[in-house]
Each structure stands twice: as C-alpha cells, then as structure tokens.
Amino acid sequence: MSDQADDAARRGVRRAQRPARSFTLRRPVGSPPSGGSRALRSDRRRVRGLPGTLGMTLLGAVLPGSGYLYAGRRALGALVLVAWLALLGGVAWYFGRDLRTAIDFALDPTRLKIAAVLFGVGVAIWSFVVFTSYRLVRPRVRPRAHTVAGNLVVGILCLTAVVPATYASRYAVAQADLVETVFQDNVSATTPKGVTKEDPWGGLDRVNVLLLGGDGGEGRTGVRTDTVILVSMNTTTGKTVMFSLPRNMMYAEFPEDSPLHDLYPEGYGSGGTEDPGFYMLNAIYGQIPERHPGVLGKSDNEGADAIKQAVEGSLGIPVDYYLLVNLAGFREIVDAMGGVTVNINEPVAIEGNTDAGIPPVGYLEPGPSQHLDGYHALWFARGRYGSDDYARMDRQRCMVDALVEAANPTNLLRRYLDLAEAGKDIVTTDIPLDLAPAFVELALDVKGAKVRSVVFKASEQFFSGDPDYDYVRSVVEKAIQPKKREPGAPKPSNGVEETTDACAYAPTGETVTASE
C-alpha cells in the first residue's frame, strides 16, 4: 500500500509541474456570436486616414451606393447603385431620343410641376446617401480635425447638389406658370380647323402668324396695334417672309366668307363720316369688338380676331394665329434677354411728341452694332418724332430680327426666370398648347434660315390713305411664290429685301444730336 501511495504522490507532483493548457470554446455553426452589435460587424470595412475617407465619400457621391458596398452593406449598396444607374439611363433615353421629346416636356405644365417636386426629393435622398456612406466608411478612431474636415467636405458636396436642384425646380415652376398663362384656355374664332398635334400645319407648307405690338397708353382709346407684321414661315425649310403694314392704312378689306365682309363690303370705314382715325388699321383691334361684339363667334380676344381678318383680306393669304406683345412691357422682355444689338442708320428720337410739340429728351445716335437696353430698344422701335411711320416700320422689323438673334440658348437659360416673369404678363396668343412644341421647332428652323421682308411704303403704287389692294395682294403672292430666274438675270425687286441687307449699317442723312 505504501508503494501505491508513493506512486500517486509522484504523479500528482508531475501534473502540478506541467504547463497549463489553453482551451478555445468553439461556437456551434449557425449560432449568433456574443459581444453585442459590434461583434456582428466583423465583416464591415472602414478606410484608414482622412484621404481614404474623402476619396470614398467622393466616390459615393458620384456613384451612390458604392460607399455602402465598400462598408459591407452589399444588399443596400447594390439596390442604391442599380437605382441610380437606372435613373441616369432612363433620363438619357427619354431626352436623347429627339428634340421634340424635350420640347414636349418643356411645354407640359403637369410634367414640369412633377419634375420640380422630384428635383427636391431626389437631392434629399442623394444627400442622405452621401452622408450615411461617409459615416460608414470613416475610421472609428480619428483625430477631431479629421472629423471636422470630413463633415465640411460632405456639407460642400450636398450644397453643390442642392443649389442646382433648387434652380432647376424654380425653372420648372416658372416654365409651367408661363405655359399655363400664355397658352392654355385661349379660345379663338379664327384659328385653323382640322389641325392636330400630329399634323400641326394641316398639311399646308406655310403657317402665318401675325405679330402685333399693342401701344396702349394715356390719352388713347384702348389698345391700338401700331405694330402689324405678318410672318409667313415655310413649315419645311423655315424660310420666312415678313410683311409690314402701316398703322394708318385705311379701308382694310375682310375675307369674303367673313361676317365682317358683310358689314364692310367696300373695306373697313369706307363711306364713313366719323374721324378717319377710327378707321385706320391700328384702330380695328379696339373698334370692332365695341361696335360688333360677338360678330365672329366665341373668342377670348375679339380684337385680335378682327385684325387677323383685316390682314387676311387685305393681303390675300390666311392669317392662322397671332402673337400680341404689349409695348408697355416690351422693355421688360428686352431687359430680361440682356438687351439687343442693332445698327442705327439715322438719329432716333427718345420720347417726344410731334403733334403736341413736345421735343425729345435725347437721340439714339447712328452707329453699327449698338447694344440697347429695354428702354432704348423700345424707342428704337417706336420713336417717330421727326420721322414717319415707314421709318419706324423699318426699325421694327430690324428689332424682330435682333430679338431672334439674341434668343440663343445660353442667353435664354441664364436669364430665363426674368424672361418668363415678363413674358407671362405681356404676351398674348391664340396658338393652342398642343401646337406649341411644333412652333418651337419651327422657330429653331427660322433662326437658321433666310428671312426676307416686304414693307408697304408710300410709292406710286401704294398710298396708305387709299390702298390699291389688288396691287398689295400681287406683291404678297410674288413674295411667297417667287418666279425662278435664269442664271445671271437681275434680281427682281417686288418690294422684297433680305433683312440682313435692310438692317445693315448704312447711315443716311445728317447726324442730329440731342443738343440741336
């Protein structure tokens, strides 16, 4: 027994002298780890240092969702990234198909308002993704300076998205307001029948729009259309002829199928005993609705319908639509566009009234490429002191040309909010909203095409006090459908001239200054 006891004692001593063994507890497969939520993130990655933080944050801003993927949030990151790429692809496909798609969008108030809301929601979601990506990838332990720098960069990134998104929303709302104000609910008795959005010109190769400048003011009866220019555009090529009529043209004729022809078979005012001023072309806008309300049918602007009929009957070609600009607000339009550039060939009076003997306050002096603000552009177009209606008509068609030239996309985009605000208050038209996209496309063609002009000035063939309308209609027909001439043959005049030639710098007469 003693031997056995000695052996047991020796074994105990040896066990005591052995090094302690370490044991690792193995977690059953599929069982959750202990240690709380941080232990669950053992597979999440974070960058090292400030450069890595900023780099991943920038990448997450350009490709939303990439920060989530780097940090191990694979499902969420993939969802955000795919949604972002799908959005970019959808926008590129929608607007990249053709120009008409973009124009249709810009003239649809409902889609514009939805877009304004989506801009705001979209930038809010994007900012949230950028901020949370930054929080996920930055190191857990970092100097305070790195935290400040990272927060500052994220704030700048979000600001660079908020500012353009805010402007885009404002542009969308302003455009929707402009479209609703100018184009919607404009009832007319004289617009063409049988036109559709798919066939905006009714199968015809020309569309004719009457440009009116309404010159209402103190001491005048209502609005008088002192600017009357018919713009005839080829719907295929954009080639255009402008016909300028004097405001004092008497006895305007109406189409034979018009109720106004029955009332004035010999021309408006022929045989009348009233003041001749009531029977001039510029008085029709105000006088016909007053004398014969509802004569042409249901209309929101009977005066415009009446003068359309007068121009149609006098020139012998259809007048499809009108565009009226109140000259009292014309200067606002020009200022909103940043001004216009014209050649001034003779001194033009600023203000003044010949009939009342009130002298002008100054003159626009002759000179090439004169840049005018709204106030001076208005007097360039309407100034008549020491001049006559025909000189003013020449300047007005040059002003139309200058406005077309100034309406370049960059200029319009920079000044669009001011332009939209001015336009909705002073522009009136009977062009239907459905046809507006087609007119925008046509206007782009006109901008790059040849524009010619016909001005009915006093001559042996034309006298505004008693016009020979057969002669007038023959001039219009030759201008619209000129005969082909043989090579080398002299160019026929027919009263037609290129606006580039008519509005070039070619000073005539003596220079007059404000001091003279």
Side-chain angles (χ1 to χ4, degrees):
M1 291 291 294
S2 62
D3 291 339
Q4 292 178 350
D6 291 341
D7 290 340
R10 284 192 295 271
R11 285 195 298 270
V13 171
R14 286 196 298 269
R15 282 195 298 268
Q17 292 175 345
R18 290 175 186 170
R21 294 181 181 179
S22 60
F23 294 93
T24 301
L25 295 176
R26 296 186 179 276
R27 175 169 53 90
V29 176
S31 62
S34 61
S37 60
R38 289 188 179 275
L40 288 169
R41 299 177 182 176
S42 59
D43 60 342
R44 304 288 161 80
R45 290 192 298 173
R46 290 178 179 265
V47 298
R48 294 182 179 179
L50 182 61
T53 301
L54 299 182
M56 279 306 305
T57 301
L58 289 173
L59 180 62
V62 176
L63 291 175
S66 57
Y68 291 165
L69 290 173
Y70 180 86
R73 301 288 183 95
R74 295 182 180 85
L76 181 59
L79 177 63
V80 173
L81 183 59
V82 169
W84 172 252
L85 295 177
L87 176 64
L88 292 182
V91 171
W93 171 82
Y94 184 83
F95 290 106
R97 289 176 293 173
D98 53 48
L99 180 62
R100 182 61 179 267
T101 301
I103 294 174
D104 284 342
F105 176 84
L107 293 170
D108 186 330
T110 300
R111 280 187 281 180
L112 287 167
K113 291 176 182 178
I114 292 175
V117 174
L118 291 180
F119 279 130
V121 173
V123 77
I125 295 175
W126 180 87
S127 299
F128 176 79
V129 170
V130 171
F131 177 71
T132 53
S133 296
Y134 159 71
R135 298 271 298 181
L136 285 172
V137 301
R138 68 182 182 178
R140 284 196 178 92
V141 179
R142 58 197 176 276
R144 182 175 180 79
H146 288 192
T147 301
V148 173
N151 289 338
L152 181 62
V153 169
V154 171
I156 293 174
L157 281 176
C158 293
L159 187 62
T160 59
V162 168
V163 171
T166 301
Y167 270 99
S169 296
R170 291 180 62 194
Y171 275 45
V173 171
Q175 174 67 6
D177 191 21
L178 175 66
V179 171
E180 290 179 329
T181 302
V182 175
F183 290 104
Q184 285 192 342
D185 301 324
N186 44 4
V187 179
S188 172
T190 57
T191 50
K193 309 301 180 185
V195 297
T196 62
K197 187 174 183 178
E198 292 71 27
D199 183 15
W201 318 126
L204 300 178
D205 60 355
R206 302 199 75 86
V207 61
N208 305 317
V209 179
L210 186 62
L211 301 183
L212 301 172
D215 199 6
E218 185 177 351
R220 309 198 69 170
T221 304
V223 174
R224 294 202 175 201
T225 51
D226 283 355
T227 301
V228 182
I229 302 175
L230 182 65
V231 181
S232 180
M233 298 167 283
N234 186 296
T235 57
T236 302
T237 65
K239 291 182 177 180
T240 298
V241 183
M242 296 193 300
F243 299 97
S244 298
L245 297 174
R247 69 184 183 93
N248 61 350
M249 189 177 77
M250 302 291 292
Y251 314 131
E253 296 187 351
F254 299 101
E256 292 185 0
D257 60 351
S258 170
L260 290 173
H261 183 272
D262 297 334
L263 294 170
Y264 303 99
E266 302 299 325
Y268 179 65
S270 179
T273 58
E274 296 181 74
D275 182 342
F278 286 109
Y279 296 115
M280 294 193 302
L281 181 64
N282 71 338
I284 290 177
Y285 184 93
Q287 291 297 310
I288 290 295
E290 182 179 322
R291 295 169 185 259
H292 313 287
V295 64
L296 294 175
K298 187 176 181 181
S299 173
D300 288 338
N301 193 332
E302 295 183 66
D305 283 327
I307 197 168
K308 283 173 65 179
Q309 294 267 281
V311 173
E312 178 172 329
S314 300
L315 298 188
I317 58 175
V319 177
D320 302 307
Y321 306 98
Y322 80 91
L323 183 70
L324 171 66
V325 177
N326 188 334
L327 292 182
F330 173 78
R331 59 186 294 179
E332 298 177 26
I333 290 285
V334 175
D335 283 335
M337 296 181 70
V340 294
T341 301
V342 296
N343 294 310
I344 302 178
N345 289 323
E346 60 184 7
V348 180
I350 300 173
E351 301 188 24
N353 187 316
T354 305
D355 297 334
I358 301 175
V361 299
Y363 284 86
L364 299 174
E365 301 292 351
S369 301
Q370 300 292 302
H371 192 76
L372 306 179
D373 61 13
Y375 171 76
H376 293 95
L378 174 62
W379 285 105
F380 175 83
R382 74 185 296 189
R384 200 159 51 91
Y385 185 93
S387 183
D388 57 31
D389 283 333
Y390 302 106
R392 181 167 69 167
M393 289 162 58
D394 285 340
R395 297 196 303 270
Q396 287 173 350
R397 61 199 173 110
C398 293
M399 179 56 64
V400 172
D401 205 39
L403 287 169
V404 172
E405 184 65 27
N408 62 76
T410 302
N411 194 30
L412 293 180
L413 185 61
R414 286 192 300 115
R415 305 177 181 274
Y416 187 74
L417 291 176
D418 292 336
L419 188 60
E421 186 64 27
K424 72 178 184 179
D425 293 329
I426 67 175
V427 176
T428 308
T429 186
D430 62 354
I431 296 175
L433 180 57
D434 285 348
L435 303 190
F439 271 98
V440 173
E441 288 187 88
L442 181 58
L444 295 176
D445 292 336
V446 170
K447 184 175 175 64
K450 182 184 294 185
V451 178
R452 298 181 297 163
S453 181
V454 175
V455 180
F456 289 99
K457 299 181 179 180
S459 65
E460 294 182 0
Q461 296 82 18
F462 181 81
F463 171 51
S464 62
D466 188 14
D468 179 353
Y469 284 110
D470 288 335
Y471 164 76
V472 170
R473 287 187 279 266
S474 68
V475 171
V476 172
E477 183 178 0
K478 291 175 183 177
I480 294 293
Q481 298 178 334
K483 293 182 180 180
K484 293 183 179 180
R485 57 191 177 97
E486 298 296 328
K491 187 177 181 180
S493 61
N494 295 330
V496 180
E497 56 186 340
E498 308 295 342
T499 56
T500 52
D501 297 333
C503 302
Y505 181 56
T508 59
E510 298 181 357
T511 300
V512 179
T513 63
S515 60
E516 293 182 320

